[in-house]
Amino acid sequence: MILDSNIGRLEYLQDIDLTDNYFSGSISPEIGKLKQLGRMVVDNNVFKSTVPDEITQLINLKELWLSMNYFTGGIPENIG
């Protein structure tokens, strides 16, 4: 898991771009702790599982790019 539970420690992170790295696994629910995150781009990887509901806690998120992965289910409704 590339975005594992340690991601929550980066509380001041504002931008994350992991495009075209073929990362696999899932996105940890700890992603919800990144209150400053405004942009998250994880296009063209091999992420699986669902998009965690905790992503709805990213109150400053303006851009979210999830394409070209293997996520199951939908994007949480209350996002943004």
Side-chain angles (χ1 to χ4, degrees):
M1 178 186 308
I2 191 69
L3 294 179
D4 67 9
S5 60
N6 290 316
I7 192 76
R9 295 181 180 181
L10 303 173
E11 60 187 275
Y12 297 107
L13 187 67
Q14 296 178 4
D15 187 313
I16 187 167
D17 188 336
L18 302 175
T19 303
D20 297 325
N21 284 291
Y22 303 100
F23 290 133
S24 61
S26 60
I27 297 175
S28 170
E30 296 293 309
I31 196 80
K33 293 183 177 180
L34 304 180
K35 304 298 183 195
Q36 301 300 314
L37 194 65
R39 181 174 177 262
M40 180 174 166
V41 182
V42 295
D43 288 357
N44 203 21
N45 285 286
V46 194
F47 287 114
K48 298 178 181 175
S49 187
T50 58
V51 176
D53 287 334
E54 289 79 5
I55 209 162
T56 63
Q57 298 170 9
L58 301 177
I59 57 174
N60 289 308
L61 192 66
K62 303 289 187 249
E63 287 185 54
L64 176 63
W65 298 55
L66 302 170
S67 66
M68 304 299 289
N69 283 286
Y70 297 94
F71 291 113
T72 58
I75 297 171
E77 286 186 30
N78 296 330
I79 196 162

